[in-house]
Amino acid sequence: MERRGRVRSEEARTAVLTATRDLTIGGGYAHLTIEKIAAQSGVSKATIYRWWSSKNAILAECVLEGMVLPDPGAAASDAIGIDAADWFRAVLAYIDEPDTTALLRGIVAASYEDPTIARLLYERLGAPIEARFTQWLQSANARGTVPAAVTAGAAAQVLFGSILVRLALWDDADEDATAAVFDAITTSLELGGAPAAPAP
Amino acid sequence: MERRGRVRSEEARTAVLTATRDLTIGGGYAHLTIEKIAAQSGVSKATIYRWWSSKNAILAECVLEGMVLPDPGAAASDAIGIDAADWFRAVLAYIDEPDTTALLRGIVAASYEDPTIARLLYERLGAPIEARFTQWLQSANARGTVPAAVTAGAAAQVLFGSILVRLALWDDADEDATAAVFDAITTSLELGGAPAAPAP
Amino acid sequence: MERRGRVRSEEARTAVLTATRDLTIGGGYAHLTIEKIAAQSGVSKATIYRWWSSKNAILAECVLEGMVLPDPGAAASDAIGIDAADWFRAVLAYIDEPDTTALLRGIVAASYEDPTIARLLYERLGAPIEARFTQWLQSANARGTVPAAVTAGAAAQVLFGSILVRLALWDDADEDATAAVFDAITTSLELGGAPAAPAP
Amino acid sequence: MERRGRVRSEEARTAVLTATRDLTIGGGYAHLTIEKIAAQSGVSKATIYRWWSSKNAILAECVLEGMVLPDPGAAASDAIGIDAADWFRAVLAYIDEPDTTALLRGIVAASYEDPTIARLLYERLGAPIEARFTQWLQSANARGTVPAAVTAGAAAQVLFGSILVRLALWDDADEDATAAVFDAITTSLELGGAPAAPAP
DNA sequence: ATCTAAGCGAGACGGTACGTCAAGTCTTGTT
DNA sequence: AACAAGACTTGACGTACCGTCTCGCTTAGAT
């Protein structure tokens, strides 16, 4: 007793995701419509609705598909000893790509209207950050330089928040501030109780 | 030659803003429509369009009107010596009010689609935080306890980011993490180079 | 206390009815769509749906408007003494106009799906025939030439049926038969108990 | 060289026709869809389209299959001497069966959109009537009681028209009128030039 | 006993039209 | 003037069927 009937078209699925990404980059979340996705992808509305329950569901799959965040810094993630500052700067640079900015902005906007998107976004963007910090904290802890109150979750949340702020403030974001925040964090963690190191 | 004719109805203006706030609280930004605002406020669509250019413009005026953020901590703002932790906890408590959460979420979502809203939001929410930190930093600087790299802007941005994260992650936000971040910040600023207190 | 607001556009209403008639003539009831009516009339779908509940309702209004059946033979209806055969031949000629045929066919088809249309159609097409026969029967009765069993309703129904048959059978209808039926009817009525003249 | 492969499933064919009949009875021609026929019959759409070119083709086959009109009066058709009034009353009674009414209404509606259906319908319903009248007329002619102008075709067309009118007028049809028409016809034919009995 | 050519149910697909909703504009009469 | 009421065009919504098209399974004559 096997699965019967015509199989789902992978081609159509990809076309929808690509069109969704491109339209979000081009016009923002507010101007993204199923109608346009259908037109641009060449996939019919009926088919889109067969597989996705909403605009947000498509966007969510885009995130999962890695079309949005190709695991920032994944390339270097194997080495615990990676330089944290380098890594963070790579993330910032990636986010500052115009296309990425636009796409992320759309997904973040959707996150404020749909918890599902939010969860997915944090899983793709926040969780990797958190994982990395967990590793760094472990090695730092071994050296006894980290205050007990500091958790990887808190650190990740701060960095995730920095990204949200950058996206929210459009061109007004203070880029130096973001970098300064990260420097303060890493300095205090890497270097332990150095006299400097306040958070922001 | 004076302006002739009927004057703008303050009553209508207030009704629109109130209805907009209530609808955003009730159904979120995504379900907010001019049609519903008109129906709920008893103000005609034509009148709304006469005075506001868009849904976002109304929301922006709500922010300005203080319907959203009644200057968190304004009551205590005269005293430089206010306890920073108390102040921040007041802000968090305010944001965690269900109505405030819903309304803010709507406005933040709008911010990602409209820089005007974003700017306004930061002016109301971020700037006061920044101003307060500036004061605190000045007194701390006088005591020589603050590292040069830390700016009021960066500190404000971190706190602003914390708020965005809380709103973005819905019920998944790690509340302790937010508090821990702030503790770390204030500890390091208030207490100066104490060995503890790295950012996150 | 007067009616406020913009008044209904008579222009739009007429455009819709005209477009509906033309489309029914051109493509038949089966190919008549609201979408095409909207496109051809230049009136938006929303407006159409505001005023008519369905395709059939528009068609019904076409009938009422006299766009379909401009009261067949109305011109000569003032004279009781009109020659019945002439009148019926005029009706048949009118029905045999290609445009009328197509339009009527559409409305008759709709009648079989919607009693409202049917009723309206009979009011416009059957009732006038019935009225005319009533007059003729009265003058014939005065001459004592009409059998008691014959009613105007029955006569009208037969003629109405003849029309339906003509429309239903498309090009296969036996035109001579229709005329023969009518001749038989009128002969018997006009001439009284002449030996000829059984109905069919 | 014989045809190879699986043979057409008679079971599927019957299921489609039955489902079509039942759906037409239940919801009328307007709500009849291939999709529903497929669902109700358990036959796939592909198979339906393989054997029938359209909804109307299926309906046509229903007519041919005798699912609609089991040759009204066929049982008594061998006897020329059958009482015409009895026969016609049997036909009317059959047509007045609610299921028959609904089904016929559907097929008649289709006739106005598709000449093929119309032709088939007349072959099944009109032609037998015509044949019967031909027989009656022959025996009447032998007795010299029928006016020359009356043809079997005309008589059949009148009766066919009566049926269409009954179906078209839904519950408003004047049943007595239909019977009166028939009485007039048969009386004049059976009884010859009796002074009574002109058709309507 | 295999091959091979249909027939078949399942169901995905690109379309067209549906009937609804909201956006933003315009008109009418009242305040 | 400013306003409410509300008609209007536009465009997107999500659904229902259309007719076509793979799929994998079943059936039966030809090899």
Side-chain angles (χ1 to χ4, degrees):
Chain A
M1 212 56 98
E2 290 284 315
R3 292 262 296 87
R4 284 204 290 178
R6 189 170 170 175
V7 292
R8 177 173 182 184
S9 159
E10 175 60 25
E11 197 179 358
R13 186 178 145 275
T14 310
V16 167
L17 296 180
T18 305
T20 301
R21 184 197 57 195
D22 293 348
L23 287 167
T24 305
I25 290 171
Y29 179 69
H31 299 105
L32 180 67
T33 67
I34 299 274
E35 211 97 342
K36 281 183 198 153
I37 294 173
Q40 175 138 338
S41 65
V43 171
S44 74
K45 274 205 302 174
T47 298
I48 295 177
Y49 280 108
R50 192 197 308 282
W51 299 110
W52 292 278
S53 62
S54 69
K55 219 167 61 174
N56 283 338
I58 309 179
L59 223 32
E61 191 160 330
C62 284
V63 176
L64 280 178
E65 206 71 354
M67 308 190 84
V68 180
L69 301 166
D71 194 357
S77 70
D78 42 6
I80 292 184
I82 184 177
D83 184 79
D86 284 357
W87 172 82
F88 187 64
R89 255 173 269 280
V91 172
L92 279 191
Y94 173 68
I95 288 170
D96 282 342
E97 290 287 322
D99 281 7
T100 314
T101 300
L103 183 48
L104 265 181
R105 196 122 61 197
I107 292 168
V108 171
S111 294
Y112 286 92
E113 291 172 4
D114 182 348
T116 310
I117 302 274
R119 211 159 294 138
L120 227 44
L121 180 61
Y122 192 78
E123 274 170 30
R124 290 290 296 188
L125 186 53
I129 298 177
E130 201 167 325
R132 190 171 301 275
F133 268 98
T134 301
Q135 294 182 313
W136 282 328
L137 279 176
Q138 281 171 346
S139 41
N141 274 331
R143 284 178 281 139
T145 55
V146 181
V150 174
T151 67
Q157 201 161 304
V158 168
L159 287 184
F160 192 60
S162 298
I163 292 169
L164 294 188
V165 169
R166 277 178 96 77
L167 294 171
L169 297 188
W170 298 74
D171 299 331
D172 296 343
D174 182 343
E175 301 186 15
D176 292 340
T178 310
V181 168
F182 186 75
D183 281 346
I185 294 175
T186 49
T187 303
S188 65
L189 292 181
E190 291 306 294
L191 302 182
Chain B
M1 268 305 182
E2 287 286 316
R3 280 179 71 273
R4 283 202 297 172
R6 195 167 164 179
V7 293
R8 175 174 183 186
S9 160
E10 174 59 24
E11 198 178 358
R13 186 178 145 276
T14 311
V16 166
L17 296 180
T18 305
T20 301
R21 184 198 56 194
D22 294 348
L23 287 167
T24 306
I25 289 172
Y29 180 67
H31 299 105
L32 180 67
T33 67
I34 298 274
E35 210 98 333
K36 282 184 197 154
I37 294 173
Q40 175 140 336
S41 65
V43 171
S44 75
K45 278 204 300 174
T47 300
I48 294 176
Y49 279 107
R50 192 193 313 280
W51 300 110
W52 291 278
S53 62
S54 70
K55 218 167 63 175
N56 284 338
I58 309 179
L59 221 35
E61 190 161 331
C62 284
V63 176
L64 281 178
E65 205 71 356
M67 306 190 87
V68 180
L69 300 166
D71 193 357
S77 71
D78 40 7
I80 292 183
I82 183 175
D83 184 79
D86 285 357
W87 172 83
F88 186 64
R89 256 173 268 279
V91 172
L92 280 191
Y94 173 69
I95 287 170
D96 282 343
E97 289 287 324
D99 282 8
T100 315
T101 300
L103 184 49
L104 263 181
R105 197 122 58 195
I107 292 167
V108 171
S111 295
Y112 285 92
E113 292 172 4
D114 182 349
T116 310
I117 301 274
R119 211 159 292 137
L120 225 45
L121 180 62
Y122 192 78
E123 274 169 31
R124 289 291 295 189
L125 186 54
I129 297 176
E130 202 167 325
R132 192 171 299 274
F133 268 98
T134 302
Q135 294 182 316
W136 282 329
L137 279 177
Q138 281 171 346
S139 39
N141 274 332
R143 284 180 280 138
T145 57
V146 182
V150 174
T151 66
Q157 201 160 306
V158 168
L159 287 184
F160 192 60
S162 298
I163 292 169
L164 294 188
V165 170
R166 278 179 95 77
L167 294 170
L169 297 187
W170 298 74
D171 298 331
D172 296 343
D174 182 344
E175 302 187 13
D176 292 339
T178 312
V181 168
F182 187 75
D183 281 345
I185 295 174
T186 49
T187 303
S188 65
L189 291 180
E190 290 308 291
L191 301 182
Chain C
M1 211 58 97
E2 291 283 317
R3 290 262 295 84
R4 284 202 289 180
R6 190 170 170 175
V7 293
R8 177 173 180 186
S9 159
E10 176 59 24
E11 196 179 358
R13 185 179 145 276
T14 312
V16 166
L17 296 179
T18 306
T20 301
R21 184 197 56 196
D22 294 347
L23 287 167
T24 305
I25 289 171
Y29 179 67
H31 299 105
L32 181 66
T33 67
I34 299 273
E35 212 97 340
K36 281 183 198 153
I37 295 174
Q40 176 139 336
S41 66
V43 172
S44 73
K45 273 202 306 173
T47 299
I48 294 176
Y49 279 108
R50 192 198 307 283
W51 300 109
W52 292 279
S53 61
S54 67
K55 219 167 63 173
N56 283 339
I58 309 179
L59 222 32
E61 191 161 331
C62 283
V63 176
L64 279 178
E65 207 70 357
M67 307 190 86
V68 179
L69 301 165
D71 195 356
S77 72
D78 42 6
I80 291 183
I82 182 176
D83 185 80
D86 286 357
W87 171 83
F88 186 64
R89 257 174 268 279
V91 171
L92 280 191
Y94 173 68
I95 288 169
D96 282 342
E97 292 285 326
D99 283 6
T100 314
T101 301
L103 183 49
L104 265 180
R105 197 123 57 197
I107 292 167
V108 171
S111 295
Y112 286 92
E113 291 172 4
D114 182 348
T116 311
I117 302 273
R119 212 159 291 137
L120 224 44
L121 179 61
Y122 192 77
E123 275 170 32
R124 289 291 294 189
L125 186 52
I129 297 176
E130 201 168 326
R132 191 170 303 272
F133 268 99
T134 301
Q135 294 182 314
W136 282 329
L137 279 176
Q138 280 171 347
S139 40
N141 275 332
R143 284 178 281 138
T145 57
V146 181
V150 173
T151 66
Q157 202 161 304
V158 168
L159 287 184
F160 192 60
S162 299
I163 292 170
L164 295 187
V165 170
R166 278 178 95 76
L167 294 170
L169 297 186
W170 298 74
D171 298 331
D172 296 343
D174 181 343
E175 302 188 15
D176 293 339
T178 310
V181 168
F182 186 75
D183 281 345
I185 294 174
T186 49
T187 303
S188 67
L189 292 180
E190 291 307 293
L191 301 182
Chain D
M1 266 306 183
E2 289 283 316
R3 279 183 70 274
R4 283 203 294 177
R6 194 170 168 175
V7 294
R8 176 174 181 186
S9 159
E10 175 59 24
E11 197 179 359
R13 186 179 145 275
T14 312
V16 166
L17 295 179
T18 306
T20 301
R21 184 197 57 195
D22 294 347
L23 286 167
T24 306
I25 289 171
Y29 180 67
H31 299 106
L32 181 67
T33 66
I34 299 272
E35 211 97 338
K36 281 182 198 156
I37 295 173
Q40 176 139 337
S41 65
V43 172
S44 75
K45 278 203 302 174
T47 299
I48 295 177
Y49 279 106
R50 192 194 312 280
W51 300 110
W52 292 278
S53 62
S54 69
K55 214 167 66 174
N56 283 339
I58 309 179
L59 222 32
E61 191 162 331
C62 284
V63 176
L64 281 178
E65 206 70 357
M67 308 190 87
V68 180
L69 301 167
D71 194 357
S77 70
D78 41 6
I80 292 184
I82 183 175
D83 185 80
D86 286 355
W87 172 83
F88 186 62
R89 258 175 267 279
V91 172
L92 279 191
Y94 173 69
I95 287 170
D96 282 343
E97 289 287 325
D99 282 7
T100 315
T101 301
L103 182 50
L104 265 181
R105 197 121 59 197
I107 292 167
V108 171
S111 296
Y112 286 92
E113 292 172 4
D114 181 348
T116 310
I117 301 275
R119 212 159 293 137
L120 224 44
L121 179 62
Y122 191 78
E123 275 170 31
R124 291 290 296 189
L125 186 53
I129 297 177
E130 202 167 324
R132 191 170 300 273
F133 268 99
T134 302
Q135 294 183 313
W136 283 328
L137 279 176
Q138 280 171 345
S139 41
N141 274 333
R143 285 178 281 140
T145 56
V146 181
V150 173
T151 65
Q157 200 161 306
V158 168
L159 288 183
F160 193 61
S162 298
I163 292 169
L164 294 188
V165 170
R166 278 177 95 77
L167 294 171
L169 297 188
W170 297 75
D171 299 330
D172 296 343
D174 183 344
E175 301 186 15
D176 292 340
T178 311
V181 168
F182 186 75
D183 281 345
I185 294 174
T186 50
T187 303
S188 64
L189 291 180
E190 294 303 296
L191 301 183

